[in-house]
């Protein structure tokens, strides 16, 4: 074993959170080492096997759908869909973004990088292959991996997670997806629109339980209309391979049912990567799902900070980036100048078509917190632009605090809903009142008018309003 090298800070994990921490450390001119095993690729999950490839492929699926299933009478169209070329193009995009990140990283003059798996061998030392590295402070940003549920026979079949699903060379004729959360539902629509027959088995009584319930149920109807078979309250109890097919059995309302498909995708949540790191040497505490427990300064022990998916929910790129920057700042803070993480306003989205997005409280959450609230639900049918483009799927729900008349939650299901949500994000963040939004002139005709319509619906009946009325 070689002599150990010394650093001010060692960051374990080089995804979004690790990168943000490294950028901060570089600015603060701290001698820093980043260790990343590159198991999912340089720069982590988002670029390689997460946000980037999935949102690209979902958009390809959306184009296929729009070209083949539109309802404009004067247009006839056909399409050639070549799965392997689509996947190759996705790989090129990922490679381009990964290379850009690599170039950016090389510009961090204070950061050394080592590729390999880091394990803590003492409170102040990590080992990577045969090398040892010492530091006074550490940031753990090792991300998360697909959770493997306890299902009989699962360990004997070759199943897919997000990683393998994004590496398929041939389009499967059929696919069973276990898990109807955001990830499972995005893959369901993506493969279904590519031409795969998709079955979703969801244990909860509705899909995407973390999102607004009325809108999630509406999305489920649209997905079913497209031919995706979704089964809720499905308790999957066994999996086996029979010939070229996977057979999955589940109990629904006390009755056993089976499904067969060429591929099986497991999308039952994410597990923080904390096993085999030697964390017991550091004195950090782990939660029920193996996540590192941190305070709002992202600190886990006297000399340890953690950021990103490894600290548990919410597991989002934007959250990981902010947590990483805060962990970097606080790990290197002098004179107690620390920063705190604020989770009060975290926008989120499911990138199906239509997209389901939200910020702030739902009416159910407001009630649970004892807020005297009122809400309006406005269908996209009331938005002129939606009628013009002949796509009136979706609705918006705006929640107000009755006492202050401030908007405390905006949730919507609409084409490009994630982009549309940003008006709601600013409204909630700036604590705007229903009057302020209802009276703000919007461009006509736009889908964004839906936010104003919902504010107006809290005052008047929008169904009876003329499309050009202020
Ligand atoms: C399919 C999918 C789609 C997603 N889509 C979105 C989206 O649209 N929008 C959004 O906001 N979020 C999305 N996410 C979530 C987002 O990708 C994550 O929240 C974010 O990437 C987490 O960043 P991180 O830095 O915590 O972890 P990661 O990016 O996973 O980085 C952790 C790194 O640490 C490495 N590592 C692990 N253990 C060790 C070790 N012992 N030694 C050295 N290195 C190690 C890993 O290999 C990895 O490179 C998606 C996730 C998935 C899986």
């Amino acid at each position: 074993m070689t002599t150990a090298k010394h650093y001010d800070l060692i960051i374990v994990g080089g995804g979004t959170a690790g990168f943000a921490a490294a950028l901060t450390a570089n600015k603060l001119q701290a001698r820093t080492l980043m260790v990343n095993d590159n198991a999912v690729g340089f720069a982590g999950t988002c670029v390689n096997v997460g946000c980037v490839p999935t949102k690209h492929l979902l958009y390809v699926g959306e184009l296929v759908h729009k070209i083949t299933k539109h309802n404009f009478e004067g247009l006839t169209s056909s399409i050639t869909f070549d799965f392997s070329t689509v996947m190759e193009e996705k790989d090129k995009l990922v490679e381009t973004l990964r290379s850009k990140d690599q170039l950016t990283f090389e510009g961090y003059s204070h950061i050394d990088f080592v590729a390999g798996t880091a394990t803590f061998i003492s409170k102040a030392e990590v080992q990577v292959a045969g090398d040892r590295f010492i530091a006074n402070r550490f940031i753990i940003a090792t991300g998360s991996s697909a959770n493997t549920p306890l299902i009989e026979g699962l360990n004997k079949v070759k199943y897919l997670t997000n990683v393998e699903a994004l590496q398929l060379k041939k389009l499967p004729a059929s696919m069973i997806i276990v898990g109807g959360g955001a990830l499972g539902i995005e893959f369901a629509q993506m493969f279904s629109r590519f031409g795969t027959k998709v079955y979703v088995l969801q244990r909860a009584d509705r899909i995407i339980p973390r999102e607004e319930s009325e809108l999630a149920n509406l999305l489920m109807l649209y997905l079913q209309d497209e031919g995706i078979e979704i089964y809720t309250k499905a308790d999957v109890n066994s999996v086996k391979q029979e010939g070229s097919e996977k057979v999955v059995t589940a109990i629904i309302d006390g009755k056993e049912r089976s499904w067969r498909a060429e591929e099986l995708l497991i999308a039952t949540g994410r597990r923080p990567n904390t096993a085999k790191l030697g964390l017991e040497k550091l004195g950090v505490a782990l939660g029920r799902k193996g996540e590192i427990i941190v305070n709002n300064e992202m600190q886990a022990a006297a000399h340890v900070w953690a950021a990103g998916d490894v600290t548990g929910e919410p597991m989002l790129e934007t959250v990981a980036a902010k947590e990483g920057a805060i962990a970097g700042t606080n790990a290197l803070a002098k004179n107690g100048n620390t920063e705190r993480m604020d989770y009060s306003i975290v926008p989120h989205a499911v990138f199906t078509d239509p997209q389901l997005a939200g910020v702030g409280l739902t009416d159910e959450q407001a009630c649970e917190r004892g807020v005297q609230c009122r809400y309006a639900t406005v269908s996209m049918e009331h938005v002129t632009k939606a009628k013009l483009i002949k796509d009136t799927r979706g609705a918006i729900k705006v929640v107000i605090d009755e006492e202050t008349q401030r908007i405390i939650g905006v949730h919507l299901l609409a084409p490009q809903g994630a982009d549309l949500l940003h008006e709601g994000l600013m409204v909630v963040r700036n604590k705007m009142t229903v009057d302020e939004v209802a009276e703000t002139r919007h461009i006509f005709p736009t889908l964004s008018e839906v936010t104003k319509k919902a504010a107006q619906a809290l005052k008047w009946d929008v169904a009876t309003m003329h499309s050009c009325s202020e």
Side-chain angles (χ1 to χ4, degrees):
M1 197 174 274
T2 53
T3 335
K5 269 181 114 176
H6 287 247
Y7 287 92
D8 296 328
L9 174 69
I10 293 179
I11 301 169
V12 181
T16 304
F19 251 66
L23 176 64
T24 309
N26 192 55
K27 272 193 209 142
L28 297 172
Q29 307 190 344
R31 205 168 134 55
T32 301
L33 172 73
M34 178 192 273
V35 188
N36 187 51
D37 62 11
N38 287 344
V40 290
F42 184 82
T45 301
C46 184
V47 177
N48 295 286
V49 291
C51 335
V52 168
T54 53
K55 270 77 253 186
H56 171 79
L57 293 174
L58 279 159
Y59 185 66
V60 174
E62 192 174 330
L63 281 181
V64 172
H65 187 77
K66 287 218 161 93
I67 294 168
T68 53
K69 303 272 165 41
H70 66 76
N71 48 9
F72 291 89
E73 288 160 17
L75 297 179
T76 43
S77 40
S78 65
I79 193 169
T80 313
F81 178 77
D82 177 352
F83 182 70
S84 58
T85 308
V86 165
M87 295 300 262
E88 278 165 27
E89 191 176 14
K90 177 268 297 172
D91 290 341
K92 281 188 226 151
L93 172 75
V94 168
E95 180 51 37
T96 309
L97 295 181
R98 193 169 41 214
S99 313
K100 190 177 149 281
D101 280 343
Q102 209 140 3
L103 275 179
T104 313
F105 187 80
E106 282 159 15
Y108 295 5
S109 55
H110 286 77
I111 317 289
D112 286 347
F113 177 76
V114 170
T117 303
T119 317
F120 285 91
I121 52 172
S122 78
K123 202 175 167 191
E125 230 171 339
V126 289
Q127 184 175 317
V128 184
D131 296 322
R132 288 182 306 131
F133 302 92
I134 295 181
N136 300 330
R137 285 132 201 259
F138 294 90
I139 294 178
I140 318 279
T142 47
S144 64
S145 308
N147 179 48
T148 313
L150 281 173
I151 298 173
E152 190 193 311
L154 188 61
N155 56 354
K156 297 197 192 105
V157 301
K158 211 169 156 209
Y159 63 88
L160 312 171
T161 68
N162 61 304
V163 177
E164 297 79 22
L166 291 166
Q167 287 165 353
L168 286 173
K169 300 280 175 245
K170 182 183 145 284
L171 183 67
S174 52
M175 182 184 281
I176 298 165
I177 300 181
V178 177
L183 208 137
I185 290 299
E186 286 184 0
F187 275 109
Q189 192 178 46
M190 177 198 301
F191 277 102
S192 168
R193 285 182 164 187
F194 289 171
T196 301
K197 174 69 196 171
V198 175
Y199 309 90
V200 177
L201 306 181
Q202 160 73 333
R203 193 164 56 175
D205 61 359
R206 66 181 180 89
I207 61 165
I208 330 173
R210 289 206 181 125
E211 296 290 340
E212 207 287 327
S213 57
E214 204 180 327
L215 300 177
N217 285 334
L218 194 53
L219 174 61
M220 182 160 108
L221 295 179
Y222 297 139
L223 296 174
Q224 286 170 328
D225 262 5
E226 287 186 22
I228 301 172
E229 289 188 30
I230 302 176
Y231 299 87
T232 54
K233 296 195 267 176
D235 200 358
V236 175
N237 57 11
S238 76
V239 169
K240 63 181 173 190
Q241 183 80 38
E242 265 186 24
S244 60
E245 289 180 326
K246 272 102 189 154
V247 182
V248 177
T249 306
I251 310 282
I252 301 180
D253 291 332
K255 291 197 191 97
E256 194 171 86
R257 287 194 59 173
S258 292
W259 293 263
R260 296 172 168 272
E262 192 181 326
E263 294 289 357
L264 167 64
L265 171 63
I266 298 292
T268 51
R270 308 277 302 168
R271 179 178 37 81
N273 292 328
T274 45
K276 297 188 202 148
L277 260 172
L279 287 179
E280 60 286 352
K281 309 261 181 351
L282 298 183
V284 304
L286 299 185
R288 205 169 49 84
K289 294 185 175 168
E291 73 279 15
I292 298 181
I293 297 182
V294 288
N295 62 17
N296 60 8
E297 295 185 359
M298 307 314 297
Q299 191 164 18
H303 67 310
V304 184
W305 287 257
D309 286 8
V310 76
T311 61
E313 298 293 344
M315 291 190 186
L316 291 172
E317 197 272 347
T318 46
V319 173
K322 189 71 185 164
E323 289 177 343
I326 288 185
T329 304
N330 293 346
L332 299 166
K334 295 202 172 86
N335 313 321
N337 281 336
T338 53
E339 288 180 7
R340 287 175 185 183
M341 192 63 200
D342 175 7
Y343 296 97
S344 60
I345 296 178
V346 179
H348 41 88
V350 184
F351 288 82
T352 43
D353 167 40
Q355 296 172 353
L356 178 50
V359 64
L361 300 181
T362 62
D363 57 302
E364 286 163 9
Q365 290 165 337
C367 285
E368 277 164 21
R369 290 179 194 197
V371 179
Q372 184 71 35
C373 77
R374 192 156 61 88
Y375 67 89
T377 308
V378 172
S379 160
M380 291 301 285
E381 304 267 358
H382 294 298
V383 180
T384 308
K385 172 74 181 276
K387 286 187 208 156
L388 301 182
I389 62 171
K390 300 191 83 170
D391 187 354
T392 54
R393 293 170 304 159
I396 189 170
K397 250 179 118 166
V398 169
V399 186
I400 58 165
D401 179 331
E402 191 69 292
E403 197 185 326
T404 60
Q405 293 292 297
R406 285 190 170 137
I407 294 178
I408 53 172
V410 177
H411 295 81
L412 57 83
L413 177 69
Q416 302 307 318
D419 287 273
L420 290 183
L421 186 80
H422 287 92
E423 177 172 2
L425 173 61
M426 291 306 171
V427 163
V428 173
R429 188 181 192 281
N430 293 315
K431 300 185 168 62
M432 289 176 74
T433 63
V434 68
D435 281 348
E436 284 169 331
V437 177
E439 285 159 18
T440 299
R441 210 153 300 146
H442 284 57
I443 296 173
F444 174 84
T446 56
L447 295 179
S448 312
E449 283 188 292
V450 72
T451 312
K452 183 180 78 172
K453 293 258 182 224
Q456 289 175 335
L458 283 153
K459 295 157 66 75
W460 313 296
D461 178 7
V462 286
T464 59
M465 280 165 63
H466 184 264
S467 63
C468 294
S469 56
E470 250 309 303

